[in-house]
Amino acid sequence: MALTVPHYVDAGRPAAAAAVAIASVISRKRGSFTRTIVVRASANFKQNKKQHEQQIRQGRSQDGRSPCPSSPLRTADEVASDFGREIALANLERLFRQQAAGGDRPPANGGSSDRPVRVAYQGSRGSYCQEATARAFPSSSACEVFPCVHMEEAFAVLEDRSADRAVVPAENSLDGPIDRNLDLLLRHPGIRILAELVLPVNHCLLSLPGAPRSSLRRIISHPQALSHCRRNLEALDLEVDEAWCAADAARFVAENRVADTAVIGSQMAAREFGLRILASNFQDHHQGGNFNRFLQLGLSASQSQGFAGGGAARKTTVAFSLEGGASDLFRAMWIFESRGVRVTRVDHRPNRAKPLRVVDRGIDGLGKATYLDYVFVLDVEGSLLDPGVEAALARLEEIAPFARVLGSYTSTCHSH
């Protein structure tokens, strides 16, 4: 979707800074993670908009173009946090710069064999997903790496061949799977899982180099990172604010020299933006640890690059539906287990093609029952070339109205 700017915005300043300011209304209860962001029109924007509306009433605009509709911006009662405002401005300016430059995506070029491998990753520069990408493709000279801020974009760049590979987060061992990426994988049948990487979480407390720790007044990060570090945050007794993206918050602190604010982010963010790591592994320590799982994706015909390092195993992921729904799931799992193929993970997603399943229970005199229907996703040990996996998949296709292999790939786990 193209971004448009009202033509009464001051062209001599960055479009976002001239157009809007963000006011933050913060719950001041110590330890609260609640923060509401509201939008406030800046003084320059209000003045330019007022002049423009006067010209509309006169039937013309400043540059002779058709009048544009009034902006849908809302006003807040007060500005409670300059920092929250500037974070939003930085994000808006980045979006406008990306539109003007055509985004960060490299142009597609028919897949020349002598060019670097183009790798997209979900998230912003400095994100944990960029860290995983660096582990997957350690030779930077042989790769052209770029971010995809929107989740759908990582799949789109594969399909239009702007990228050869994409690295996306799949699951956190404490918070569970990222359902959106599994849905996107089901909706894009030409894309396959080529590799899997499991990494231990390392939340770092980041600040400006040289800023004394005693000067810190607040800590900001993504809500998930804040929840992982809750006990350590309570011990510091500082203001805690949420940010939509921890990597963007880290970049803002670095670029604007904000000395009283620390960010919980990745080691990659510290390296990318020149921040100091006050503490590594700042997360609360849970028995068994805290791990992130990432997937490397590519088109069906692609060959797996694999993830670098660690002990690798083979896995296969298959998605399928069942006539009997969840009641038949044991049959599907037994197809694999009875052939010596271990099932390592079970998940389910809504069946978009057939959202409802109607069961006739007339024999019991109870009439018909209606249930939501699902697509089930299994991870199993072994590759498609293993006789047991091959035989199990063939049998599964006999009982499943829908079945599709999402990938057969190398799985690499780094325990520390």
Side-chain angles (χ1 to χ4, degrees), residues 38 64 69 82 166 207 219 221 238 289 317 336 364 409:
V38 294
D82 290 338
S207 71
I219 298 176
S221 192
L238 299 174
T317 299
F336 291 94
D364 300 328
Y409 49 90

mmCIF file of all heavy atoms in Angstrom, residues 38 64 69 82 166 207 219 221 238 289 317 336 364 409:
data_model
loop_
_atom_site.group_PDB
_atom_site.id
_atom_site.type_symbol
_atom_site.label_atom_id
_atom_site.label_comp_id
_atom_site.label_asym_id
_atom_site.label_seq_id
_atom_site.Cartn_x
_atom_site.Cartn_y
_atom_site.Cartn_z
ATOM 1 N N VAL A 38 -1.388 7.849 21.806
ATOM 2 C CA VAL A 38 -2.385 8.627 21.082
ATOM 3 C C VAL A 38 -1.670 9.609 20.179
ATOM 4 O O VAL A 38 -0.499 9.924 20.369
ATOM 5 C CB VAL A 38 -3.325 9.378 22.048
ATOM 6 C CG1 VAL A 38 -4.174 8.414 22.835
ATOM 7 C CG2 VAL A 38 -2.546 10.280 22.970
ATOM 8 N N GLY A 64 -2.341 23.949 -6.898
ATOM 9 C CA GLY A 64 -3.260 23.761 -8.007
ATOM 10 C C GLY A 64 -3.856 22.380 -8.111
ATOM 11 O O GLY A 64 -4.686 22.133 -8.969
ATOM 12 N N PRO A 69 -8.626 15.224 1.330
ATOM 13 C CA PRO A 69 -9.498 15.189 2.499
ATOM 14 C C PRO A 69 -8.748 15.570 3.764
ATOM 15 O O PRO A 69 -7.537 15.465 3.851
ATOM 16 C CB PRO A 69 -9.962 13.726 2.543
ATOM 17 C CG PRO A 69 -8.902 12.968 1.828
ATOM 18 C CD PRO A 69 -8.394 13.902 0.758
ATOM 19 N N ASP A 82 7.876 13.206 25.713
ATOM 20 C CA ASP A 82 8.556 13.584 24.478
ATOM 21 C C ASP A 82 9.232 12.381 23.844
ATOM 22 O O ASP A 82 9.344 12.291 22.626
ATOM 23 C CB ASP A 82 9.622 14.659 24.763
ATOM 24 C CG ASP A 82 8.989 15.991 25.124
ATOM 25 O OD1 ASP A 82 7.820 16.191 24.749
ATOM 26 O OD2 ASP A 82 9.655 16.803 25.781
ATOM 27 N N ALA A 166 14.550 -16.505 3.162
ATOM 28 C CA ALA A 166 13.967 -15.652 4.195
ATOM 29 C C ALA A 166 14.102 -16.366 5.524
ATOM 30 O O ALA A 166 13.909 -17.582 5.611
ATOM 31 C CB ALA A 166 12.501 -15.349 3.900
ATOM 32 N N SER A 207 22.494 0.689 26.645
ATOM 33 C CA SER A 207 22.411 2.131 26.891
ATOM 34 C C SER A 207 23.477 2.830 26.067
ATOM 35 O O SER A 207 24.313 2.188 25.428
ATOM 36 C CB SER A 207 22.608 2.444 28.380
ATOM 37 O OG SER A 207 23.961 2.234 28.757
ATOM 38 N N ILE A 219 13.275 2.086 31.259
ATOM 39 C CA ILE A 219 13.682 0.992 30.389
ATOM 40 C C ILE A 219 12.529 0.695 29.452
ATOM 41 O O ILE A 219 11.371 0.611 29.888
ATOM 42 C CB ILE A 219 14.056 -0.268 31.196
ATOM 43 C CG1 ILE A 219 15.249 0.020 32.112
ATOM 44 C CG2 ILE A 219 14.362 -1.438 30.278
ATOM 45 C CD1 ILE A 219 15.623 -1.144 33.003
ATOM 46 N N SER A 221 11.155 -1.685 25.912
ATOM 47 C CA SER A 221 11.365 -2.824 25.028
ATOM 48 C C SER A 221 10.014 -3.346 24.555
ATOM 49 O O SER A 221 8.957 -2.828 24.925
ATOM 50 C CB SER A 221 12.149 -3.942 25.728
ATOM 51 O OG SER A 221 12.574 -4.907 24.774
ATOM 52 N N LEU A 238 12.763 1.038 38.027
ATOM 53 C CA LEU A 238 12.721 2.154 37.076
ATOM 54 C C LEU A 238 11.393 2.141 36.333
ATOM 55 O O LEU A 238 10.651 1.153 36.365
ATOM 56 C CB LEU A 238 13.877 2.035 36.071
ATOM 57 C CG LEU A 238 15.293 2.071 36.636
ATOM 58 C CD1 LEU A 238 16.299 1.799 35.523
ATOM 59 C CD2 LEU A 238 15.581 3.406 37.310
ATOM 60 N N GLY A 289 15.605 -23.202 30.588
ATOM 61 C CA GLY A 289 16.083 -22.171 29.674
ATOM 62 C C GLY A 289 14.986 -21.491 28.880
ATOM 63 O O GLY A 289 13.798 -21.747 29.053
ATOM 64 N N THR A 317 8.160 -31.548 8.158
ATOM 65 C CA THR A 317 6.927 -30.936 8.653
ATOM 66 C C THR A 317 5.825 -31.170 7.637
ATOM 67 O O THR A 317 6.001 -30.890 6.440
ATOM 68 C CB THR A 317 7.114 -29.432 8.891
ATOM 69 O OG1 THR A 317 8.131 -29.228 9.886
ATOM 70 C CG2 THR A 317 5.821 -28.793 9.382
ATOM 71 N N PHE A 336 2.668 -42.573 11.835
ATOM 72 C CA PHE A 336 4.116 -42.322 11.917
ATOM 73 C C PHE A 336 4.762 -43.189 12.996
ATOM 74 O O PHE A 336 5.790 -43.837 12.767
ATOM 75 C CB PHE A 336 4.372 -40.839 12.191
ATOM 76 C CG PHE A 336 4.015 -39.943 11.043
ATOM 77 C CD1 PHE A 336 2.762 -39.337 10.981
ATOM 78 C CD2 PHE A 336 4.909 -39.706 10.016
ATOM 79 C CE1 PHE A 336 2.421 -38.510 9.917
ATOM 80 C CE2 PHE A 336 4.580 -38.887 8.947
ATOM 81 C CZ PHE A 336 3.328 -38.287 8.897
ATOM 82 N N ASP A 364 -27.475 -41.426 18.018
ATOM 83 C CA ASP A 364 -27.648 -41.223 19.462
ATOM 84 C C ASP A 364 -28.882 -40.400 19.781
ATOM 85 O O ASP A 364 -29.140 -40.101 20.942
ATOM 86 C CB ASP A 364 -26.416 -40.514 20.042
ATOM 87 C CG ASP A 364 -25.152 -41.319 19.820
ATOM 88 O OD1 ASP A 364 -25.243 -42.554 19.809
ATOM 89 O OD2 ASP A 364 -24.084 -40.704 19.636
ATOM 90 N N TYR A 409 14.119 -30.881 6.172
ATOM 91 C CA TYR A 409 15.191 -29.916 6.362
ATOM 92 C C TYR A 409 16.116 -30.320 7.510
ATOM 93 O O TYR A 409 15.833 -31.231 8.288
ATOM 94 C CB TYR A 409 14.592 -28.540 6.656
ATOM 95 C CG TYR A 409 13.525 -28.558 7.732
ATOM 96 C CD1 TYR A 409 13.856 -28.372 9.060
ATOM 97 C CD2 TYR A 409 12.192 -28.783 7.397
ATOM 98 C CE1 TYR A 409 12.894 -28.397 10.055
ATOM 99 C CE2 TYR A 409 11.210 -28.826 8.374
ATOM 100 C CZ TYR A 409 11.559 -28.630 9.703
ATOM 101 O OH TYR A 409 10.596 -28.667 10.667
#
